Structures are given as structure tokens and as C-alpha cells.
Amino acid sequence: MRLTPIILLALFEYSFAQGVRHDKRVFEKDPTCEAIEQGLSSSSKVYYPVLNPIPYNRGIGHWASSSTQKAKCVVEPGTVTDVAKTVQVLGSTRTPFAVKGGGHASNPGFSSTTGVHIAMSRFGEVTYNETDQTVVIGAGLIWDDVYAGLAPHGRGVLGGRVTGVGVAGFILGGGYSWKTNQYGMTIDSVVAFELVKPDGSILQVTNENQPDLFFGLKGGFNNFGIVTRFTLQTFPQTQVWGGLITVTAPFIDQISAATADFAANVTDPKASIITTYNFLLGEPGISQLLFYDGPTPPPGIFDNFMKVPFFTRDIKTRDLLSLVKASPANATANQRAIFHTVSVLDYSRSLLDAVHNETKFWGLRLTNLLTLDTGTFISYDVEPFLPSILSHNVTPSAFPPIRSTRFSPFNIYYAWLLEANDDTFHDTIKQSADRLRSLAAAEGQDLSNAALYPNYAIFDTPMQQLYGNNLPTLQALKKLHDPDNVMELTGGWKF
């Protein structure tokens, strides 16, 4: 018998109905998600993996694919009250959850979950107050959005230095900016946090009304609740000078010499650099970011960099957002990735040579498909800052635990393709960081009190190495404000 299109359609519909009838679980809503959904206002939304796959996948997605997990649902709260209602349900049901701002965390499970995933993307305001020259920014933004929103006002903030970095985690972990030499760390510019506490209460946390929480939130991440908005000081923002230079292997030594000289001798607080030693496509190289907070730098500051033969060069006078977007930070997005760090006092030439050697050594071993090591990018970022950066604001903060001595952060970043390689890359990046720290100490650098930058540190770093003598105070503060351990249900550094 010949089947007509009508009969075929009827058979398909019958088969589909039978499949749904036998596996209704595919379309069932998780009870906790449903309870949250029923309590939310029309400003918020809950998405499910089968019913709403596009917004659901957007909600759980991260810059690093290894930081993404399949959640029961995605909650996109649109009001602070709806965040409070969500937290109350999660606390009462003891449901694991995640809070994602910009989604740039490389540590797996820090802003992802197999439970309920809270995506803060609807908190996207940039509201400038001309009277007191502050700005209120939402926890779902990336810094590109903030710079764009402030540009018409001729103002800037102490935000991320490369494109795609989320606002929330960056601030709550400390924050190093292109303007840090002039004004301090990002947490030093925070005026207020809008905080949903674990019991659902909503606070405006300032140094005046809640000094203990204000201290804890400056570097203490989500231990005390969910921050929905930040109020930051702003600063004058003109056009800037700088951008990206890429350099091939024969000229790496010249860049190393220029970097060591800059770190040791340049004292102009408007000048800053990031020198990145890379291993890509089987070859070592350098990505060099230059920054000057003004249209034209004084003669001499960047001359040693500018005279090195380059592969590409995009250096010019431009607006801040253009400079931030000039970075290649998104070139390896959507791959598996991990960060780790070393904190140092100085970037000597010998230490930079060691960094170069680490790049080549591990690059050759980790990007070898013959041994099934699927590395795509091996990267070591040298980030010198002036010794005075912690003197701009003397108010105590969770991080850094010691403000009398500045330690410059140093980011190590590995990217790869296969989950089967995770342990190899995690173990190797820790081994490399330990070696560089040992070499810096062997030079005579006193690193005994050198806290690691939490935004770069790998997931199993002992808390003592991040918060030092502040740790007991932070643990007591956590117990006071979260006696039921609701925030233990989510990922990240936990006191």
C-alpha cells in the first residue's frame, strides 16, 4: 500500500505522542524550579533545557566550555526582590545552585551547577550620577558594556583590561585595571553593594552602615549572599593611547628586556602593560598590550617596545573601549580552560627568561596530538604594577590580606579541547606555577606573605594562600551572616 503524505503525518504524530507518553520526564519541570517560577514577577523568567533550549543554553554558557554544566533550569531574575525569593526557595529546599555574572570564570563549578542556575543577565544597568560622579552597574554586565555606557559622560572606572570579562566576579575578587596604578584596585573604588543575603533580606552595604560586610565583600566573592548591583567611583576618561603588538620568536628577547626595564624604571602611573608569552600553532610568541591613560604618552616610556620588529601592530590614540576590544582575549573562547597564578614582587630579566622557557617547554608537550595532548594555547601574562597601588585607599578589604606590600599578579592560562585531558592540564599548570614561584624566591624575593589573586587562582588553592591572616575573620563573618550555610550550596571560594 502506498502511504500518502496525510497518512505519513498521522503516523508521525502518533509515534511522537507515544514517545512523549512513555518519557514524560523529558518535559517535566523540576519541582524546585517550578516553585521558584511560581513566585517570580513578570520581570523574571525560568528556562528549561527541553522547553526553552536557546535561552537555557545561553544562561548556562561560559567563556570556557569546561566551566559549563547542565542545570535543572536557568533562573533569570529581573528584580532584586525576585533574587531574594529565589534564594529563599533554594535555602529552604537545600538545592545546589550557581550564580553567573559575565561567565568568565575558568574554575569548573564556580559559577555553574547541576542544580538551579541563576543567570544575572537581566541586571544590565549603567546609571551615572553626575552629582557625586558615581555609577551603578548591574551584576550581569561585562566591562565592555560599562565603558560604552560611561563614554558619553567622559568618565571611566577601574574595570577589566581585556574584552569579555564579567563585572561581578571581577569586582568581588579584587580587580586589577588599566587605571590601578593611579587609583588602586577595583574594590578600592566601590561605594556600595546591593546585596541579597542568604535569608532573602536586601541590604545596601556601605562602609558606613555595614563595615563588616563591606570589608568581606571586597574580595570575598559570594560568601555573604548575591550581589545584584555595584556603585563605583568614576574617574575622568579621555582618549587613551595603546593597543596590541604581536611578536614572533626571534624577537622575544627584545620584548623581555623592554618588559624588565619598564617594570623596574617606569613610574608614570598612567602607563601600564601586559606582556604575554604565548605558545600557539607550534611556535612561541608574544602578545604585547600597551596602555597610556591619555591621547599621547610622554617620550621614552614605550620606545623599547615600539622599536621591536613586529608581526602585527595596532597601536594608536583611541577610546578606552576600542583599546579593550583590541585584546585577543576571546580568541580561544568556548574551549576547555584553566587559570592559575603566581604573586611576585619584581619581574627581573632572569625571571622573564624563565617564563619564556616555561612557555616553550610546556607548549611543546601539551600541544602534541601524537601523545593525545590537545592543548591549543599556552599563555603566561606578566602584569607589573607600581608599588604604591594599595596606598590609594586604606580601608581594609578581604583581599589582599596585607596592604603594606604590593605583589603583582601573574596569570597563567592553558586552553585545550578534550575533557580527557583535564587532569593533565590542571596538574601541569600547578607544577609550572610552583616552579616560577621557586625561581622568584631563589632570586631573593620575599614571597612568604604573597597572597594569590583569587580571580586567577586554580580551584583547589588552599584558602590560607588567598586570604592569609584575614581568613579567621572572614570565617566568623560568614557564620554570622549565613548561619544556615545557604551559600555553601553554590560554587566558588568558601570560607
Side-chain angles (χ1 to χ4, degrees), residues 249 278-285 359-360 363-368 375-378:
N278 300 321
F279 194 91
L280 179 66
L281 300 176
E283 293 290 337
T359 310
K360 290 189 295 182
L364 287 169
R365 282 156 179 78
L366 295 175
T367 61
N368 188 346
T376 59
F377 194 61
I378 306 299

Side-chain angles (χ1 to χ4, degrees), residues 383-404:
E383 306 175 17
F385 287 98
L386 292 176
S388 58
I389 62 172
L390 299 178
S391 66
H392 298 287
N393 189 329
V394 297
T395 305
S397 53
F399 180 86
I402 295 175
R403 298 185 71 91
S404 58

